[in-house]
């Protein structure tokens, strides 16, 4: 491919007039103005956002994509000492006046913040309201700052806002005609910018693709310094003009190494993404030339530079892979990960998030919401750690001594809470989550089933104090808790009362040794069940691995399978891409999707039945054994 | 299984923070209260947080417990936690004089952040089961508590002695404190002050 005339650098036709009018140094001012307005809007409330996003539905964004987004497996570690590097380089750039003034502004703000902080300390808790969007925005600040304030918590060092944009476009936008050329509705773009600046949770996939592309352009255009840096931008331009392909590639490669790590990473992400966009030029009508024309101004580099970087992106950014960002779990998430590795990975994310919350709070941005979040993330970390620890210990904890347990079971001297309450409830939860199906409905069924033997009067006379050796009661609890970690501790506490009543009534009617025996038997059975389920899970995992390998061998991406299915069912009628043979046969697709859904439902029901049956089996086995013991 | 209907309203949430030197049994008390378990091995905490639904004098409430490190290294983040705490269990070990001395420091830190002498606070002397190794005389602890005008309770995370008591006593204090505040600011004081603050920010 040839890239023509070099001198058009500053020659931007009015193709994208709607957005491109502003020069980057103007945008700083407009920035402030926006924030002023935004505050008012914010006071009016967040409900508006939801409406906005609803209205966004059904536009070109939902165009069918032809291929699943190629997000290779994550765990791509690019740990480079970004921080000091980039910060030092930053301070080098003294020639740039605007930057200086920026810095001063920042310093003033910092001072102001500190003052407010002092004032605040005298105020009552919870009344703080420094505006983070105003004091520490994400848009319009130097890249290292933006990154610091808008981190991806999975180690990829680009701002979340860009990651979200690229993510959404890669998933559903690659075939949208005029991608990056068509501008999004301005008010929505501004609204999104405000949300990001405000650190609100944003669901970008609710927005149209053009809104996303405009948002990305806005972020890039608002960077006070070009992503290629003032120092290197001219050399990049030179390199891009080299006629000899190999020389050009080599030179670009070398130059990129001189960029601060965060610039390099972001540049790589954008170029790799643009290269994907160009691959779909048949559908989106955006070849490299069109793209570079459209993006030259926002990216603050010449068309030629863009073309060259896109063209050579694989060689220049060999270590950058576009991976989907999965945000840290929240309390609303369905459950904790199961495997130790997944837990460890999630823990890292949560720790990163926690660090961010702390630094925001330390900077004086203390709101009720952020405090809430702090405790919540902390809670998530605690749960993850507990689960990890117990997974690591495995089931060996059955060696726990009984002594502690008897102490722990002493009745409490306070209201509403029983020391001995946890057992049956956690048992329930244990089998539940071990089955990997934390559906709420299962709980009552199991609960009653498992509890029955304990309170059932089947055992008339006191049985001999036979203690089936291995798992003493203490072990039960530990084993059981090893598995329940993802279930909310709330339920165990809640059920405590009911269980307590039952326990004490049993105590009165039959001897406690029967009770203990029943519990031991139950423990035994549950341990067996746990083992069974664990081996089943292992089996399933092996199968999954095989299937993933198979998908890969067909050239697909296993991580994106579910997106395919989801998108099919949601908007397969909007298929704009012609190179997708299935999409053309809409009726067939519809049918398959419907069938799949029915089957999924059936599967769910069956699983539930199995779980109930398992509980019943345990129940019966315990009764049998109790009777056997009683009669012997 | 169903508890009293709370009318669809979220149960009250009380935020409790465990403070005290390392090794005095903050985590042990927390875990005993949360899960009825006692862990023998000592594993330094960074910070952990737990939530539990309990019935406090017939009312269903939630308690959030934040179990802190107690070491200096985390002082930077400590204030962020202290600020959001509504009540504090200040724990020392009756077998360790130094930990008792340290409570002074913790009390000061809390008062500095909360700026409130009345903050719900219980002085907790833990490891009561190790009375034979006692280094902190009961009278000393009691007189310090008296001086601060806070309750003093001796607990054992090992035997579960008084574990519930300290948490429930503290929750009661927090609850009555909140009721007082509400009364003072005419029912919905918190909301009001918040709104006022926002309006100020606008100007
Ligand atoms: N005998 C006894 N040991 C305790 C008690 N509470 C805690 N411990 C032990 O003291 C050590 C430190 O406890 P831990 O809860 O980790 O202290 P923390 O640093 O304050 O959280 C652990 O080994 C516990 O087993 C108690 O009430 N009695
Ligand atoms: Mg601890």
């Amino acid at each position: 491919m040839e890239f023509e005339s070099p001198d058009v650098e500053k020659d931007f036709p009015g193709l994208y007039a709607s957005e491109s009018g502003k020069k980057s140094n103007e945008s700083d001012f407009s920035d402030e103005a926006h924030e002023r307005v935004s505050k008012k809007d914010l006071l009016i409330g967040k409900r508006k956002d939801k409406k906005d996003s609803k209205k966004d539905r059904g536009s070109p964004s939902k165009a069918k994509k032809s291929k699943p987004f190629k997000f290779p497996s994550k765990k791509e570690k690019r740990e480079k000492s970004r921080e000091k590097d980039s910060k030092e380089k930053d301070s080098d750039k003294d020639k740039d006046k605007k930057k200086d003034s920026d810095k001063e502004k920042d310093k003033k703000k910092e001072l102001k913040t500190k003052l407010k902080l002092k004032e605040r300390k005298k105020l009552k808790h919870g009344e703080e309201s420094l505006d983070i969007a105003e004091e520490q925005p994400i848009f319009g600040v130097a890249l290292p700052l933006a990154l610091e304030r808008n981190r991806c918590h999975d180690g990829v060092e680009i701002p979340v806002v860009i990651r979200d944009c690229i993510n959404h476009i890669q998933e559903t936008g690659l075939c949208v005609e005029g991608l990056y050329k068509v501008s999004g509705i301005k008010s929505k773009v501004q609204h999104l910018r405000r949300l990001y600046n405000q650190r609100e949770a944003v669901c970008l996939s609710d927005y149209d693709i053009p809104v996303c592309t405009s948002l990305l352009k806005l972020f890039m255009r608002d960077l006070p310094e070009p992503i290629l840096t003032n120092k290197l931008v001219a050399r990049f331009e030179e390199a891009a003009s080299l006629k000899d392909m190999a020389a050009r590639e080599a030179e670009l490669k070398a130059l990129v190494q001189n960029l601060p790590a965060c610039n390099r990473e972001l540049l790589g992400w954008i170029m790799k993404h643009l290269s994907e966009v160009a691959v779909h030029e048949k559908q989106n009508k955006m070849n490299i030339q069109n793209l570079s024309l459209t993006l030259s101004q926002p990216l603050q580099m010449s068309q030629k530079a863009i073309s060259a970087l896109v063209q050579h992106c694989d060689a220049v950014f060999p270590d950058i892979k576009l991976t989907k960002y999965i945000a840290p779990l929240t309390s609303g998430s369905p459950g904790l990960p199961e495997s130790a590795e997944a837990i460890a990975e999630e823990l890292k994310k949560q720790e990163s998030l926690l660090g961010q919350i702390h630094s925001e709070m330390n900077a004086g941005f203390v709101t009720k919401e952020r405090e809430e979040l702090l405790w919540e993330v902390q809670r998530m970390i605690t749960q993850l750690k507990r689960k990890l620890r117990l997974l690591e210990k495995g089931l060996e904890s059955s060696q726990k001594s009984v002594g502690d347990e008897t102490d722990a079971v002493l009745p409490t001297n306070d209201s509403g809470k029983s020391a001995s309450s946890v057992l049956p409830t956690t048992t329930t939860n244990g089998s539940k989550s071990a089955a990997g199906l934390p559906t709420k409905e299962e709980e009552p069924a199991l609960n009653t089933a498992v509890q029955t033997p304990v309170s059932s009067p089947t055992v008339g006379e006191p049985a001999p104090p036979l203690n089936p050796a291995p798992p003493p009661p203490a072990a039960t609890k530990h084993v059981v808790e090893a598995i329940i970690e993802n279930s909310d501790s709330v339920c165990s506490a809640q059920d405590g009362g009911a269980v307590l009543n039952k326990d004490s009534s049993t105590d009165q009617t039959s001897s406690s040794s029967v009770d203990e025996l029943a519990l031991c038997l139950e423990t035994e059975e549950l341990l067996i069940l746990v083992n069974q389920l664990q081996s089943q899970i292992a089996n399933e995992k092996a199968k999954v691995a095989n299937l993933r390998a198979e998908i890969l061998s067909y050239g697909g991406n296993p991580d994106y399978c579910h997106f395919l299915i989801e998108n099919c069912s949601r908007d397969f009628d909007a298929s704009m891409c012609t190179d997708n043979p299935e999409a053309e046969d809409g009726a067939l697709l519809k049918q398959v999707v419907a069938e799949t859904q029915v089957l999924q439902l059936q599967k769910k029901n069956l699983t539930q039945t199995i779980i109930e049956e398992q509980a019943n089996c345990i129940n019966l086995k315990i009764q049998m054994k109790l009777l056997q013991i009683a009669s012997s | 299984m169903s508890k009293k209907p709370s009318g669809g309203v979220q149960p009250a949430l009380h935020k409790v923070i465990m403070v005290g030197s390392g090794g005095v049994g903050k985590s042990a008390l927390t875990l005993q209260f949360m899960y009825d378990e006692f862990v023998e091995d000592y594993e330094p905490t960074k910070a952990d947080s737990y939530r539990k639904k309990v019935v406090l004098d017939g009312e269903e409430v939630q308690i959030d417990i934040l179990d802190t490190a107690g070491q200096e290294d985390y002082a930077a983040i400590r204030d962020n936690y202290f600020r959001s705490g509504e009540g504090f269990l200040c724990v020392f070990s009756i077998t360790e004089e130094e930990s008792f001395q340290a409570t002074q420091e913790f009390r000061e830190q809390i008062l500095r952040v909360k700026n409130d002498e009345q903050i719900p606070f219980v002085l907790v002397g833990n490891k009561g089961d190790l009375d034979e190794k006692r280094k902190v005389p009961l009278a000393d602890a009691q007189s310090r508590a008296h001086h601060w005008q806070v309750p003093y309770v001796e607990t054992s995370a090992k035997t579960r002695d008084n574990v519930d008591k300290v948490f429930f006593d503290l929750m009661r204090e927090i609850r009555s404190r909140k009721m007082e505040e509400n009364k003072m600011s005419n029912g919905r004081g918190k909301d009001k002050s918040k709104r006022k603050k926002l309006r100020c920010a606008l100007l």
Side-chain angles (χ1 to χ4, degrees):
Chain A
M1 232 188 268
E2 259 316 305
F3 303 108
E4 59 275 14
S5 69
D7 308 345
V8 267
E9 235 191 279
K10 292 283 161 189
D11 185 39
F12 305 116
L15 244 173
Y16 36 93
S18 67
E19 281 230 320
S20 59
K22 275 190 279 167
K23 288 257 157 62
S24 56
N25 47 346
E26 282 171 12
S27 56
D28 258 355
F29 296 88
S30 54
D31 217 33
E32 306 249 293
H34 285 309
E35 296 312 334
R36 294 276 134 73
V37 179
S38 70
K39 266 189 156 182
K40 225 175 270 173
D41 289 8
L42 267 162
L43 285 182
I44 298 170
K46 293 163 202 166
R47 269 140 277 135
K48 252 178 81 183
D49 307 353
K50 286 238 169 90
K51 245 195 266 165
D52 275 358
S53 56
K54 284 275 153 53
K55 268 189 273 172
D56 270 350
R57 286 172 186 285
S59 12
S61 73
K62 300 294 155 146
K64 218 42 237 82
K65 61 175 182 292
S66 59
K67 278 187 199 164
F69 177 9
K70 265 210 251 149
F71 269 153
S73 70
K74 349 159 195 169
K75 289 183 184 169
E76 214 47 29
K77 287 273 153 61
R78 279 164 301 265
E79 285 288 52
K80 270 153 204 170
S81 55
R82 184 203 108 257
E83 319 82 348
K84 275 169 201 161
D85 248 62
S86 55
K87 264 171 197 160
E88 265 154 25
K89 269 186 189 139
D90 267 356
S91 45
D92 282 346
K93 305 280 143 41
D94 288 352
K95 282 154 223 158
D96 193 340
K97 275 183 198 164
K98 203 172 65 59
K99 261 213 93 178
D100 265 6
S101 66
D102 253 14
K103 260 193 193 156
E104 261 164 45
K105 222 163 58 187
D106 269 5
K107 262 189 200 145
K108 267 188 204 161
K109 277 183 178 171
E110 235 169 71
L111 250 177
K112 216 167 71 187
T113 309
K114 272 185 190 147
L115 281 176
K116 285 190 194 173
L117 206 65
K118 270 191 187 157
E119 282 168 33
R120 185 180 46 72
K121 281 193 172 157
K122 281 168 198 155
L123 287 174
K124 279 233 58 208
H125 146 266
E127 297 183 0
E128 176 53 26
S129 62
L130 266 188
D131 188 351
I132 197 165
E134 189 180 310
E135 311 280 339
Q136 294 195 351
I138 287 159
F139 283 71
V141 300
L143 184 56
L145 275 183
L147 179 61
E148 199 54 53
R149 294 170 186 178
N150 195 215
R151 280 197 167 282
C152 297
H153 297 294
D154 64 350
V156 172
E157 305 254 303
I158 69 171
V160 172
V161 54
I162 299 294
R163 187 100 179 262
D164 284 348
C165 287
I166 291 180
N167 204 50
H168 184 31
I169 298 163
Q170 290 278 141
E171 274 176 24
T172 61
L174 287 179
C175 299
V176 172
E177 202 173 314
L179 189 63
Y180 279 102
K181 196 160 86 179
V182 177
S183 294
I185 297 167
K186 219 171 172 178
S187 59
K188 284 185 184 165
V189 179
Q190 293 301 335
H191 173 71
L192 277 172
R193 183 177 74 154
R194 203 182 304 135
L195 291 182
Y196 277 103
N197 277 343
Q198 199 75 47
R199 317 295 201 270
E200 300 277 348
V202 177
C203 183
L204 209 57
S205 51
D206 290 343
Y207 290 81
D208 290 345
I209 292 296
V211 173
C212 284
T213 56
S214 290
L215 188 69
L216 185 144
K217 287 196 280 184
L218 179 68
F219 179 90
M220 296 308 293
R221 207 180 49 217
D222 276 1
L223 283 178
E225 188 185 6
I227 187 168
L228 296 180
T229 71
N230 293 324
K231 198 168 99 190
L232 295 177
V233 67
R235 292 180 61 194
F236 268 103
E237 298 297 346
E238 266 171 43
S241 308
L242 290 174
K243 285 280 181 288
D244 179 57
M245 281 268 275
R248 188 166 62 211
E249 186 170 294
E251 186 63 20
L252 286 175
K253 222 172 156 172
L255 281 173
V256 157
Q257 290 312 308
N258 291 328
L259 285 173
C262 60
N263 293 57
R264 187 168 56 234
E265 180 108 351
L266 181 57
L267 188 67
W269 269 75
I270 289 174
M271 294 307 158
K272 289 236 160 141
H273 163 60
L274 291 180
S275 134
E276 291 273 323
V277 173
V279 165
H280 293 76
E281 64 173 282
K282 274 216 185 80
Q283 293 87 48
N284 60 35
K285 308 284 188 285
M286 296 299 285
N287 56 21
I288 294 192
Q289 281 79 13
N290 288 339
L291 279 173
S292 45
L293 186 68
T294 308
L295 288 165
S296 171
Q297 194 183 25
L299 294 185
Q300 309 183 51
M301 64 182 85
S302 74
Q303 295 175 37
K304 224 184 339 184
I306 297 177
S307 299
L309 284 166
V310 170
Q311 191 193 17
H312 297 292
C313 70
D314 286 333
V316 174
F317 306 103
D319 52 349
I320 286 179
K321 302 243 160 54
L322 305 186
T323 51
K324 184 181 163 62
Y325 180 48
I326 298 164
L329 293 176
T330 65
S331 61
S333 309
L336 302 186
E338 289 302 325
S339 73
E341 308 89 71
I343 294 174
E345 205 170 298
E346 184 59 37
L347 250 176
K348 264 194 225 151
K349 283 190 199 175
Q350 297 286 344
E351 304 266 13
S352 166
L353 175 58
L354 187 74
Q356 183 174 306
I357 297 168
H358 273 302
S359 71
E360 284 168 4
M361 290 180 92
N362 285 333
F365 304 104
V366 183
T367 62
K368 208 115 206 135
E369 291 74 35
R370 198 164 278 117
E371 282 182 350
E372 209 53 62
L373 191 63
L374 179 72
W375 286 61
E376 184 189 315
V377 172
Q378 199 79 70
R379 211 154 53 231
M380 186 64 80
I381 290 176
T382 302
Q383 282 179 26
L384 286 165
K385 275 194 199 150
R386 271 179 71 84
K387 184 164 180 182
L388 191 60
R389 202 177 313 137
L390 290 159
L391 268 181
E392 277 164 4
K393 276 187 199 161
L395 301 172
E396 295 153 27
S397 58
S398 15
Q399 298 314 319
K400 255 278 167 173
S401 74
V402 195
D404 295 343
E405 177 65 10
T406 37
D407 286 337
V409 169
L410 288 175
T412 65
N413 55 0
D414 216 306
S415 58
K417 162 73 180 63
S418 91
S420 55
S421 67
V422 208
L423 242 179
T425 323
T426 42
T427 306
T428 311
N429 289 333
S431 41
K432 180 184 83 183
S433 60
L437 288 158
T439 5
K440 284 250 168 67
E441 307 84 22
E442 298 158 16
E443 223 173 305
L446 253 183
N447 221 355
T448 40
V450 180
Q451 278 173 21
T452 335
V454 189
S455 50
S456 85
T458 3
V459 199
E461 67 246 59
L466 205 163
N467 208 336
T476 318
K477 192 184 292 180
H478 284 273
V479 169
V480 148
E481 282 188 359
I483 333 161
I484 58 147
E485 276 315 307
N486 59 354
S487 69
D488 200 338
S489 59
V490 159
C491 36
S492 56
Q494 201 174 17
D495 298 341
V499 175
L500 172 66
N501 293 342
K502 181 211 64 200
D503 276 354
S504 49
S505 68
T506 320
D507 275 345
Q508 281 149 18
T509 48
S510 64
S511 91
S512 65
S513 65
V514 175
D515 221 4
E516 204 179 316
L517 184 59
L519 284 176
C520 287
L521 291 171
E522 191 184 326
T523 306
E524 249 181 340
E525 291 301 330
L526 286 171
L527 277 175
I528 293 167
L529 180 63
V530 165
N531 282 333
Q532 278 174 359
L533 289 171
Q534 270 171 347
S535 70
Q536 270 176 28
I537 289 170
N539 275 340
E540 297 288 331
K541 279 196 179 139
K543 272 191 214 162
V544 168
N546 280 340
L547 288 171
R548 286 170 71 95
E550 208 173 314
I551 291 171
L552 278 171
S553 73
Y554 290 130
N557 183 333
D559 293 326
Y560 266 72
C561 293
H562 63 287
F563 281 107
L564 250 188
I565 295 168
E566 261 173 34
N567 289 335
C568 286
S569 50
R570 219 174 30 194
D571 44 40
F572 53 88
D573 44 325
S575 57
M576 262 174 62
C577 298
T578 42
D579 65 343
N580 187 352
E582 289 106 325
E584 264 155 17
D585 200 348
L588 181 63
L589 187 60
K590 197 174 198 164
Q591 197 189 334
V592 172
V593 169
E595 274 172 18
T596 310
Q597 280 169 351
V598 170
L599 285 173
Q600 276 171 349
L601 206 76
Q602 284 176 356
K603 188 187 86 180
K604 209 175 134 195
N605 289 339
L606 275 175
T607 330
Q608 202 175 321
T609 319
I610 290 173
I611 288 170
E612 281 163 16
E613 290 302 324
Q614 265 169 349
N616 286 334
C617 284
I618 290 177
N619 185 359
L620 288 171
K621 275 188 198 163
I622 295 169
Q623 287 188 24
M624 266 166 53
K625 284 193 184 164
L626 279 174
L627 284 170
Q628 270 172 9
I629 292 167
S631 63
S632 70
Chain B
M1 233 184 298
S2 59
K3 286 268 117 96
K4 52 201 69 193
S6 42
V9 192
Q10 273 282 9
L13 176 63
H14 303 310
K15 288 187 168 163
V16 170
I17 298 188
M18 314 290 296
V19 299
S21 310
V24 297
K26 298 180 296 298
S27 303
L29 286 167
T30 307
L31 293 176
Q32 187 61 273
F33 180 73
M34 283 297 302
Y35 306 113
D36 306 299
E37 70 183 29
F38 178 71
V39 188
E40 284 285 354
D41 34 307
Y42 175 48
E43 195 181 322
T45 317
K46 214 164 144 190
D48 279 308
S49 136
Y50 304 85
R51 173 170 290 178
K52 186 180 178 111
K53 235 180 225 179
V54 292
V55 178
L56 175 66
D57 304 328
E59 180 201 5
E60 191 177 80
V61 301
Q62 287 192 84
I63 179 171
D64 267 8
I65 304 171
L66 195 105
D67 178 20
T68 62
Q71 279 95 9
E72 297 293 291
D73 348 353
Y74 306 107
I77 59 172
R78 192 188 50 213
D79 284 6
N80 288 335
Y81 295 121
F82 280 15
R83 208 180 293 122
S84 48
E86 296 168 328
F88 294 80
L89 289 182
C90 186
V91 188
F92 67 93
S93 164
I94 62 158
T95 65
E96 198 202 330
E97 170 66 22
E98 271 178 22
S99 72
F100 178 59
Q101 291 316 324
T103 58
Q104 191 84 49
E105 173 71 15
F106 284 106
R107 170 91 182 163
E108 277 160 24
Q109 280 167 5
I110 292 163
L111 292 189
R112 211 180 311 136
V113 174
K114 299 300 289 186
N115 197 32
D116 176 7
E117 296 272 345
Q118 309 292 314
I119 186 80
F121 186 106
V122 177
L123 183 62
V124 179
N126 188 41
K127 307 202 185 179
D129 56 300
L130 301 177
D131 199 45
E132 73 280 4
K133 293 189 191 159
R134 179 188 284 276
K135 298 275 162 53
V136 181
L138 183 63
D140 288 9
Q142 277 170 338
S143 89
R144 177 166 294 180
H146 182 75
H147 176 64
W148 288 343
Q149 299 190 298
V150 301
Y152 173 64
V153 182
E154 295 206 341
T155 58
S156 166
K158 185 167 182 178
T159 65
R160 214 175 199 284
D161 215 29
N162 278 338
V163 170
D164 283 323
K165 179 180 167 52
V166 287
F167 284 99
F168 276 90
D169 282 358
L170 186 63
M171 275 192 282
R172 286 193 190 97
E173 273 207 55
I174 295 173
R175 187 184 52 188
S176 65
R177 194 71 214 288
K178 283 177 180 166
M179 266 148 55
E180 241 173 67
E181 266 171 23
N182 279 355
K183 229 185 270 165
M184 274 201 319
S185 43
N186 247 347
R188 303 218 325 249
K190 268 241 162 100
D191 288 358
K192 245 189 196 164
S193 58
K194 208 174 189 179
R195 230 172 275 146
K196 205 159 101 201
K197 196 82 221 259
L198 280 172
R199 212 172 51 228
C200 290
L202 241 188
L203 298 179

